[in-house]
Each structure stands twice: as structure tokens, then as C-alpha cells.
Amino acid sequence: MAMKDGARRSVTILGSTGSVGCNTIDLVEREPERFVVEALVANNNIAKLAEQARRLRPRFVAVADEKAYLPLKDALSGSNIEIAAGAAAVIEAAARPSDWVMAAIVGAAGLQPTLAAIRRGATIGLANKETLVCAGSIVMAEVARAGATLVPVDSEHSAIFQVFDFERREAIDKIILTASGGPFRTLSREAMAAMTPEQAVAHPNWDMGAKISVDSATMMNKGLELIEAYHLFGLPEDRIDILVHPQSVVHSLVAYVDGSVLAQLGTPDMRTPIAYALGWPRRMATPGKRLDLAAIGNLTFEAPDPVRFPALRLARAALRAGGATPTIFNAANEVAVQAFLGRVIGFLDIARVVEDAMDAMPGIALGDLDDVLAVDAQARRVARDLVARLAD
Ligand code: NDP
């Protein structure tokens, strides 16, 4: 759905209180003549959500946590904003008419709201990669059926989206996802074993939510992105490479059959890929620092280490197995990351839980959304048992 000339683009922000959500709001507020906010959604951060709602005056605000309803109603009393709570309210927010939706809820919790926006044919800025990892084929079939548009927000997929020749796919040899390598890029496995949640969330280049920061440290994030790229760009797993690039300046590359390699570059500021999706198909200005390659001087690249970072091997195995296995991979990772952040298991246990959950469950075919939800729930139970055993 293209932007209507002269009309403001109405925007729904799922996960407005998170890192991507706040960056989206920053951009929306810079161009009030271009955007109007329809709905905001969070889990339970009432203080931030109420403050955003008072500033942006959306028509509808929803929280997933039902206990947050009364405090939110209180915080927004006299504002005339419609308020609702619970999982159905979050889906309703996504289903309400708006031109553009930011899908920035973290984890598989974003799946059903994102699908609701897809089913009404919206243009969606997709940050919530877990949606594509746990239900990629079903989601992409719905995108095609409903005529929705997914504009990727992950900086790597935004980069590829910008240099991928969709009209001449046969000319594409492979895509190359860059990875910063995270805060533990140079550590030995012995050193990694002792790393704390605080050390894992201290990403060298990006300021992000806790879950994706841990995913970056394990490189599960790149594994999730590999599966996300497979669904977004329709290339087989063996034509998606991963390249470690610690400076996070080259955001990803597309290699063509004639030997040309096209890349998109920029400073590591999420407002650039968010702005690309928010303004799409037009570009919009962002306030971030401009890229100064002379000041940076050197850009370096290295192959990822599959021994220290087993996440990449697991993600490739999940993608090759197909069916329910990527759903299991994602759900087990979410449980393991929570357990690590809660200091119940160690850093290296995250990949162990994911691998053991994948081994413990059959990679059955997924017919519909109910199958996905059932596998997701079962994988969480299996992963929680594995966590409990490791914690003993
Ligand atoms: P944050 O943890 O910072 O924010 C998560 C958001 O989701 C919050 O608004 C949170 O609300 C909301 N939320 C959590 N659970 C629910 C739920 N069940 N229903 C409704 N809302 C919920 O995450 P990020 O912004 O870092 O990441 C969001 C997504 O974007 C992830 O999928 C991540 O992988 C992806 N992404 C993030 C990037 C980044 O730079 N941060 C870069 C690229 C992709 P509350 O505050 O109330 O808990």
C-alpha cells in the first residue's frame, strides 16, 4: 500500500516501548505532517506507554498484560484514548485499519499480531524476525494471499532489500549477511562460559533490547536472521553466507552472477533501516551520524567460527530440516535466553538447550497456525525441562 499523496500515513506501533519502538516514535515525531499514530502496543510498561500516548494521541492503546489495564486506564484518564488489554486486544490493535505497522514485539509473541496486520494487507516494517523463524512458510503465504508488503527492519535485511534485484532474481548468486560477532567475538569458549547477563547485553555497536543483545552474543541472532532471509528473499540455505564484520558498517551484501557485489553501508543506527521501512517507497531524512569512511579507516571481515558459535550450525540444521524444527529452534532459544538473563543457566547452556530441544522433538510438517502454536508450546515445555535439569 503506497503512501497517499497529501494524506498523512497512519501508523500502528506494536512494541512501542521497546528499543525499535522508541526509535520509530523518534522518527514519527520528527515529521508530524507526514505521520499520524493509530495505535500503540506494549506488554506492561505502563509508564512509558502512557507517556508516549499522551504525546502522540493515538486512537487505541493496548497492553498484553491484563493486570496492566487498570493502571493504564488510570494513567490515561481524561485522554479519550480507547484502552484495552490482553492477547486479543494486541491482535485487535494490529487488525485496526492503518497504512503502516511496525512489528517490533519481541519473540514469538509477535506472530499473531503481525499476522493480523498481514491479513488486512498492510505495509509492515518487520523487526520481529521470530515471526518468520517460527512460522515463515505460513506467514509468507498469507503475505501473498492478502497482498501485504513486508519491508525488513533488521539492518542486514534492509540492506539486502535495498540492493536485491527483485526483477532479475536469476542474476543473483548469493546473499551475504554481515554479523558484528557480538561482545564475545574474540573470547575462548572457556571465557564465554563465565560471562554474565550484564556482559552479554553490552553490545559493542548497537543499543538494543535484552533478548536480541543476548542473541547477538551467542550469534543465535545471525541464525535467526539466516532463516528470516530465507523466507524474505527466497534463496536456499546454501546461498546465504554469513560474514563477521566487527565495525557494523557494511550492513549486508548481494553477490551477482557476473561477479559484482552490491552492499549497503551506514553508521550503526537503527533509525536508518527503520526510516527506510517507515517512509517506503520514499526515503526520509534521519538525524543520525553520517558515515565517514576516511575517519573509520579500516573495515575488517572474517569467517564466523562454528566451534565457538554453534548457533550458526544449529540454525542451518533447523532450516535444512524445515517443518517444525525452526519453530523449536526459536522457542527453545527464547526459553534459554530468559533462563540465562535470570541467572538460572550459564551462557554456553543457551545453545545446549536449543540443540537438545531440537534433538528431543520431531520436525513434523506444519499445516497451519494452530500447528505452529502447538509446536511452540511443546518446545517451550521441553526447553524448560532441559533448563531445570541444567540448573540442578
Ligand atoms: P525490546 O525488548 O526493547 O522491546 C520489546 C517490545 O515488545 C516492548 O515494547 C515490549 O513491551 C513489547 N512486548 C513484549 N512482549 C509483548 C507481548 N506479549 N505483547 C505485546 N507487546 C509485547 O526489544 P527490541 O526493540 O530490541 O526488539 C524488538 C524486535 O525487533 C525483536 O524481534 C528483535 O529481534 C527485533 N530487532 C531489534 C533490533 C534492535 O535494534 N533493538 C534490531 C533488529 C531487529 P514492554 O516494554 O511493556 O515490555
Side-chain angles (χ1 to χ4, degrees):
M1 197 186 299
M3 180 146 42
K4 300 174 211 105
D5 277 341
R8 291 196 291 172
R9 175 173 269 193
S10 61
V11 167
T12 295
I13 305 175
L14 309 175
S16 68
T17 51
S19 159
V20 171
C22 290
N23 276 318
T24 308
I25 287 178
D26 178 70
L27 292 167
V28 164
E29 286 190 305
R30 284 168 197 276
E31 299 201 30
E33 68 296 342
R34 198 165 164 191
F35 302 106
V36 58
V37 177
E38 170 65 26
L40 297 177
V41 170
N43 183 28
N44 58 13
N45 186 344
I46 306 300
K48 193 177 265 185
L49 185 60
E51 177 243 306
Q52 291 176 336
R54 287 207 174 271
R55 282 205 328 267
L56 292 156
R57 305 245 141 233
R59 274 191 247 229
F60 188 71
V61 171
V63 273
D65 183 351
E66 295 189 359
K67 291 192 292 298
Y69 177 72
L70 286 178
L72 181 63
K73 203 165 178 305
D74 226 27
L76 290 177
S77 65
S79 68
N80 274 337
I81 299 171
E82 197 182 331
I83 297 160
V90 171
I91 294 172
E92 188 196 334
R96 289 169 72 100
S98 70
D99 298 319
W100 190 88
V101 178
M102 168 52 83
I105 292 173
V106 61
L111 171 60
Q112 293 193 71
T114 306
L115 263 179
I118 289 171
R119 285 180 175 145
R120 66 176 175 80
T123 298
I124 296 161
L126 185 76
N128 176 223
K129 64 194 91 187
E130 295 92 340
T131 278
L132 279 183
V133 176
C134 69
S137 307
I138 290 164
V139 169
M140 293 312 285
E142 285 291 303
V143 168
R145 191 193 56 74
T149 303
L150 294 185
V151 186
V153 166
D154 241 325
S155 60
E156 297 78 359
H157 304 71
S158 173
I160 292 169
F161 192 84
Q162 293 180 52
V163 293
F164 192 100
D165 191 342
F166 288 92
E167 306 293 308
R168 278 169 287 273
R169 291 176 158 272
E170 70 287 353
I172 290 166
D173 180 16
K174 60 183 179 183
I175 58 182
I176 303 153
L177 294 172
T178 53
S180 69
F184 306 155
R185 178 176 61 88
T186 58
L187 294 192
S188 65
R189 284 200 42 96
E190 294 67 36
M192 278 186 212
M195 289 295 116
T196 64
E198 290 73 23
Q199 289 165 311
V201 300
H203 195 279
N205 305 338
W206 301 96
D207 184 12
M208 309 182 289
K211 193 251 174 188
I212 185 176
S213 298
V214 175
D215 286 345
S216 249
T218 54
M219 290 194 79
M220 282 290 175
N221 184 46
K222 216 46 58 179
L224 296 167
E225 288 180 9
L226 170 86
I227 301 172
E228 179 186 15
Y230 166 84
H231 290 293
L232 284 174
F233 302 111
L235 288 184
E237 175 266 325
D238 61 0
R239 285 167 63 200
I240 308 173
D241 284 357
I242 291 170
L243 178 66
V244 175
H245 167 46
Q247 297 83 16
S248 301
V249 166
V250 178
H251 293 311
S252 278
L253 313 92
V254 177
Y256 285 85
V257 290
D258 62 0
S260 298
V261 179
L262 304 191
Q264 183 262 355
L265 284 69
T267 53
D269 183 335
M270 276 308 293
R271 288 176 300 184
T272 300
I274 293 171
Y276 184 83
L278 179 61
W280 188 87
R282 284 162 50 189
R283 288 197 185 257
M284 55 186 286
T286 68
K289 234 172 82 190
R290 302 293 103 167
L291 182 61
D292 182 348
L293 285 173
I296 294 170
N298 289 308
L299 297 178
T300 59
F301 303 91
E302 62 201 47
D305 180 343
V307 177
R308 288 184 306 120
F309 295 101
L312 299 176
R313 171 178 55 80
L314 296 176
R316 287 198 185 278
L319 191 46
R320 279 198 300 272
T325 312
T327 318
I328 299 163
F329 170 81
N330 179 68
N333 181 54
E334 287 190 29
V335 169
V337 169
Q338 275 313 313
F340 169 69
L341 286 170
R343 298 175 207 280
V344 179
I345 60 173
F347 181 74
L348 294 181
D349 292 332
I350 298 173
R352 203 164 293 147
V353 168
V354 173
E355 182 155 25
D356 290 352
M358 283 166 65
D359 286 346
M361 286 181 66
I364 55 163
L366 296 175
D368 58 18
L369 181 64
D370 286 344
D371 292 348
V372 173
L373 298 177
V375 167
D376 178 81
Q378 171 68 8
R380 282 168 205 269
R381 282 192 289 274
V382 168
R384 277 195 290 267
D385 282 350
L386 291 163
V387 163
R389 257 179 262 162
L390 284 166
D392 270 348

